[in-house]
Amino acid sequence: MRNLKPYNILLLALVAVWVKTVVIHLMSFDLGIETFTQHLILWLSPLSFLCLAFGVAFLFKKARNRNLYILATILVLDIILYGNVGFYRFYTDFVTIPVLSQTSNFGDLGSSIAEILSWTDIFFFIDFFIVAIAIKLVKDQQDTFTFRKRFALASIAVAGLVFAVNLYYAEQERPQLLTRSFDRVLLVKNLGVYNYHLYDIYTQTKASTQRAMANSDELVEIQNYATANKASINEEMFGKYEGRNVIFVSMESLQSFVINQEMNGHIVTPFLNSLTQDKDTYYFSDFYHQTGLGKTSDSEFIVENGFLGSGNGAAFFTNGENTYTGMSGVLSDNGYYTSVLHPNNKSFWNRDRMYQSLGVDHFYDIDAYTIGEGQSVGWGMKDIPFFEQSAQILADSPQPFASRLITLTNHHPFELDEEDKLIPEYDSNSGTLNRYFQTVRYMDESLKVFFEQLKTQGIYDNSIIVMYGDHYGISELHHKAMAKYLGKEELTAYDHALLQSVPLFIHIPGSNDGQEITKTSGQIDIRPTVLHLLGISTANDVQFGDDLFSEEHDGIVPFRDGRIITSDYVFTQDVCYDRATGEEVEKAVCEPAFEKSGAVLNYSDQLISLDLLRFYEQHQDISPQTNTQ
Ligand code: GP9
Ligand code: MN
């Protein structure tokens, strides 16, 4: 074992950096590490990267060079970690590569630098000093060891193993961490700062290589398609509500199957049910969510842009720095004050950055709210206090405003405090579905409170309120329980497709034209519908939605996963079903919908991954090739 002595310094360096890294993760970032597994992940997460980084040291034969490499490595890692701590103190977020290139952001930081840094921060470099002193004290030991390369290789193997175990536990904690969950706090919590940066480098490099190859011709083709397939406007509705405020409410996990239904004799959504009969509400009863991995953020993306999110992840995260022609930006350009109100941490779904790209003027995140005792459950602030405080924020906003409010209580795992349970649980084998009815009932109550508050605040009459379910709440995993509730033997792929229906309400006080609209439609249609009601043209927009009030609305709804629903057919798992009978029919019957679905899916992906809307300004005056002219 004498031969291993020269590597004592290496071992000391690894342990010192490791322990220090964990302590700093605990002390300097608010990662919400509570359970045993979360602590285990925290300890595991830096180790794989450190094994790799320090494993390279085995390749240096001379102790002097090896020690220099070790010290340099520690210094670089210390600077990275300390850089993140400084950034976090100011932004409560982690550094990303695009952020490093946005030096203008750092302007805000200038005067605060002195406040952010403190002399006690020297602690962040303690590992460097410990190892430097140890190197001074220990006499140079020349390496006579002959297996250096094997040790270097072994370090890679250990790193790989540790990383696999880390990922295993992280997946348990947060399923689909790398594909679905794109909150930087969650990434750092589960991967550690060093691996998080590797992941960031990987995603950003991939995106920028694809982007660099693109040119404006690709946008011209897509814009031609969008223009040629645009439904005509409804002259009577266009501009009818010009100048009104618009309040969008994204109703968390709300599916249509609870609307106008009972659960063991209990009405689930009394307030929303009343809107389905209301003289001032258009209720769209065959409306579908079109989200993919980005869940809530995808629904926001679709409503803002009028095209689908990414097929490979959450566009909010993978392409948050793109140029977009978001509805918020369009409304801002038309004199609106645009905002999003959502009492969650601002980095969740990369919202803080993406909202800038979409042209949102202000994001009221968790810091804009006062969460009193008993006002928080599950994922955060309860919907009722959220709506109460939000109504005040809206009342204080410059008018006209266009604001999106995103609810939170009706989120998996659907938890409630006793006093908020207004109906009992359901009695199936799925606790998730059983509790879902209760949280939906609570959210329905919160919407009633919101309407009352808007009236109290005097902003109700001059507003349009657009409310939609963001995505499904009950996944196919709960098919047995759902079958029981729906009174069916079992659920087929056809049933699952139709269960993706979420409600859409367009409530226009004083319109006196309320009705149920049964035409088949999807989230992609919200943008042109709302802009047209306000008298804003979408003739040159690169988007694929159709105005819901247009006579020409085609009623083909493409899903992000390739499923298609039309008023007559459902296409899922490569099978075509007739909606009149629910029976399987020849695939050819569904074929007319394939072209649109394929185009919307592919073009949406291209617009996102190639960042094509950065070419938009130059090309908005092109003469489109239309079928109708
Ligand atoms: C988080 C909330 C829920 O801020 O929007 O996100 P989800 O998990 O539904 O996508
Ligand atoms: Mn959601």
Side-chain angles (χ1 to χ4, degrees):
M1 288 310 281
R2 230 185 116 252
N3 282 345
L4 278 177
K5 259 196 174 160
Y7 300 105
N8 283 348
I9 293 287
L10 185 57
L11 191 65
L12 176 73
L14 176 81
V15 173
V17 178
W18 183 20
V19 173
K20 189 210 72 175
T21 302
V22 171
V23 171
I24 286 176
H25 275 65
L26 275 173
M27 289 177 54
S28 301
F29 307 129
D30 186 10
L31 299 174
I33 294 182
E34 285 152 12
T35 66
F36 174 77
T37 317
Q38 288 166 353
H39 278 280
L40 181 71
I41 292 172
L42 181 71
W43 278 96
L44 280 174
S45 60
L47 195 55
S48 52
F49 184 82
L50 296 180
C51 283
L52 266 191
F54 288 114
V56 173
F58 282 114
L59 298 179
F60 293 93
K61 189 165 184 188
K62 284 200 174 126
R64 198 183 127 75
N65 292 346
R66 186 167 56 241
N67 289 342
L68 274 179
Y69 171 79
I70 291 172
L71 281 178
T73 306
I74 300 178
L75 196 61
V76 169
L77 295 180
D78 282 3
I79 291 171
I80 291 175
L81 196 56
Y82 186 55
N84 273 287
V85 169
F87 190 82
Y88 189 89
R89 283 176 185 164
F90 199 77
Y91 292 106
T92 47
D93 203 342
F94 295 94
V95 178
T96 68
I97 295 194
V99 161
L100 290 178
S101 59
Q102 286 171 7
T103 38
S104 58
N105 274 358
F106 296 125
D108 301 338
L109 235 141
S111 59
S112 312
I113 285 264
E115 273 171 52
I116 285 176
L117 311 183
S118 121
W119 67 269
T120 47
D121 288 351
I122 202 78
F123 169 76
F124 289 92
F125 296 86
I126 192 163
D127 40 6
F128 180 81
F129 295 117
I130 290 177
V131 175
I133 292 167
I135 288 173
K136 264 265 160 264
L137 294 180
V138 177
K139 268 199 246 123
D140 261 11
Q141 304 248 10
Q142 281 314 319
D143 181 15
T144 52
F145 196 53
T146 47
F147 300 119
R148 287 182 300 109
K149 285 199 180 122
R150 288 189 199 176
F151 265 62
L153 281 178
S155 310
I156 298 177
V158 173
L161 193 72
V162 174
F163 187 63
V165 178
N166 179 176
L167 263 195
Y168 171 78
Y169 282 111
E171 272 292 307
Q172 309 281 316
E173 268 297 294
R174 183 75 199 179
Q176 294 178 288
L177 177 73
L178 299 184
T179 43
R180 164 163 149 55
S181 172
F182 293 107
D183 181 11
R184 280 186 286 279
V185 172
L186 281 177
L187 282 171
V188 171
K189 180 175 176 177
N190 288 291
L191 299 177
V193 161
Y194 309 129
N195 286 336
Y196 154 72
H197 283 302
L198 288 184
Y199 180 73
D200 185 45
I201 291 170
Y202 167 74
T203 45
Q204 303 298 347
T205 319
K206 197 169 142 201
S208 65
T209 326
Q210 288 174 339
R211 185 183 180 279
M213 318 269 283
N215 64 51
S216 60
D217 293 348
E218 283 151 288
L219 180 66
V220 173
E221 182 193 327
I222 298 175
Q223 188 157 20
N224 282 338
Y225 172 85
T227 314
N229 290 282
K230 209 150 273 180
S232 61
I233 54 167
N234 179 327
E235 300 284 351
E236 198 197 317
M237 297 298 271
F238 189 85
K240 193 167 178 186
Y241 300 101
E242 194 175 330
R244 283 218 194 187
N245 306 313
V246 192
I247 301 169
F248 296 94
V249 180
S250 166
M251 299 180 287
E252 178 58 46
S253 301
L254 184 65
Q255 289 175 248
S256 299
F257 76 85
V258 290
I259 305 293
N260 286 329
Q261 298 299 329
E262 292 187 357
M263 181 278 299
N264 289 343
H266 301 277
I267 297 172
V268 191
T269 55
F271 178 67
L272 292 177
N273 293 353
S274 73
L275 290 185
T276 67
Q277 314 286 331
D278 178 67
K279 66 173 183 45
D280 288 341
T281 308
Y282 298 100
Y283 165 53
F284 296 82
S285 55
D286 199 35
F287 180 83
Y288 295 85
H289 84 81
Q290 295 170 285
T291 63
L293 292 166
K295 303 296 283 288
T296 309
S297 72
D298 270 3
S299 70
E300 295 185 68
F301 186 96
I302 297 166
V303 170
E304 284 273 8
N305 295 310
F307 53 89
L308 298 188
S310 161
N312 321 307
F316 259 48
F317 189 86
T318 56
N319 295 80
E321 312 289 328
N322 278 13
T323 302
Y324 292 100
T325 49
M327 178 161 55
S328 291
V330 170
L331 288 168
S332 270
D333 292 346
N334 281 273
Y336 275 78
Y337 170 72
T338 59
S339 61
V340 177
L341 294 79
H342 180 52
N344 195 358
N345 132 24
K346 65 181 175 173
S347 71
F348 202 94
W349 286 128
N350 197 31
R351 282 187 172 106
D352 48 352
R353 307 227 155 269
M354 184 64 179
Y355 286 169
Q356 288 177 20
S357 306
L358 291 171
V360 175
D361 293 328
H362 196 99
F363 178 18
Y364 297 90
D365 64 14
I366 191 160
D367 294 333
Y369 291 86
T370 312
I371 306 179
E373 210 181 309
Q375 292 193 330
S376 170
V377 73
W379 274 53
M381 191 176 195
K382 293 180 184 177
D383 291 343
I384 290 180
F386 162 64
F387 277 127
E388 286 169 346
Q389 292 182 30
S390 298
Q392 185 65 52
I393 293 175
L394 294 180
D396 294 341
S397 297
Q399 297 196 37
F401 58 76
S403 304
R404 177 162 66 248
L405 284 71
I406 306 171
T407 71
L408 203 51
T409 307
N410 189 42
H411 193 288
H412 185 270
F414 310 114
E415 290 166 345
L416 278 184
D417 286 338
E418 280 309 316
E419 70 262 26
D420 298 320
K421 294 179 178 166
L422 305 173
I423 54 172
E425 281 192 17
Y426 184 51
D427 55 357
S428 74
N429 68 350
S430 158
T432 299
L433 179 65
N434 297 351
R435 292 188 301 275
Y436 178 73
F437 292 100
Q438 291 181 310
T439 46
V440 169
R441 175 67 187 83
Y442 172 83
M443 178 166 66
D444 181 83
E445 194 67 19
S446 74
L447 292 164
K448 187 173 122 199
V449 171
F450 183 49
F451 272 56
E452 286 160 4
Q453 294 278 321
L454 291 176
K455 288 175 189 165
T456 315
Q457 296 286 359
I459 42 180
Y460 172 80
D461 289 325
N462 195 31
S463 298
I464 296 175
I465 305 165
V466 180
M467 308 197 289
Y468 56 91
D470 62 350
H471 49 75
Y472 67 80
I474 303 299
S475 74
E476 296 183 15
L477 272 179
H478 307 277
H479 62 100
K480 278 209 178 107
M482 272 304 284
K484 172 179 155 119
Y485 175 69
L486 298 172
K488 297 192 172 191
E489 278 283 302
E490 57 177 8
L491 298 184
T492 60
Y494 169 76
D495 296 321
H496 284 305
L498 290 177
L499 273 171
Q500 304 313 307
S501 177
V502 297
L504 166 68
F505 301 89
I506 300 183
H507 179 77
I508 309 180
S511 63
N512 215 7
D513 184 34
Q515 52 191 283
E516 175 178 345
I517 299 180
T518 55
K519 66 170 80 165
T520 309
S521 51
Q523 286 168 334
I524 208 169
D525 299 323
I526 292 179
R527 174 186 157 125
T529 307
V530 171
L531 287 177
H532 290 174
L533 287 174
L534 302 176
I536 299 170
S537 166
T538 61
N540 286 320
D541 287 9
V542 182
Q543 62 90 32
F544 310 123
D546 282 338
D547 185 336
L548 290 165
F549 295 110
S550 166
E551 297 296 330
E552 281 176 20
H553 184 274
D554 72 5
I556 296 173
V557 182
F559 285 28
R560 185 60 267 186
D561 59 7
R563 287 186 281 190
I564 307 168
I565 295 190
T566 76
S567 49
D568 299 323
Y569 306 105
V570 169
F571 181 71
T572 176
Q573 295 183 356
D574 217 30
V575 178
C576 185
Y577 296 87
D578 183 341
R579 282 186 75 175
T581 60
E583 298 296 324
E584 198 175 321
V585 290
E586 270 177 54
K587 197 168 157 183
V589 176
C590 281
E591 242 172 57
F594 291 171
E595 192 191 326
K596 172 174 175 180
S597 172
V600 169
L601 260 60
N602 290 334
Y603 285 154
S604 296
D605 264 337
Q606 285 181 36
L607 285 168
I608 296 166
S609 62
L610 307 180
D611 188 11
L612 292 180
L613 288 169
R614 73 197 135 121
F615 302 118
Y616 179 70
E617 292 292 344
Q618 297 150 250
H619 285 277
Q620 55 182 320
D621 294 329
I622 55 164
S623 305
Q625 305 150 1
T626 62
N627 296 333
T628 44
Q629 284 176 1

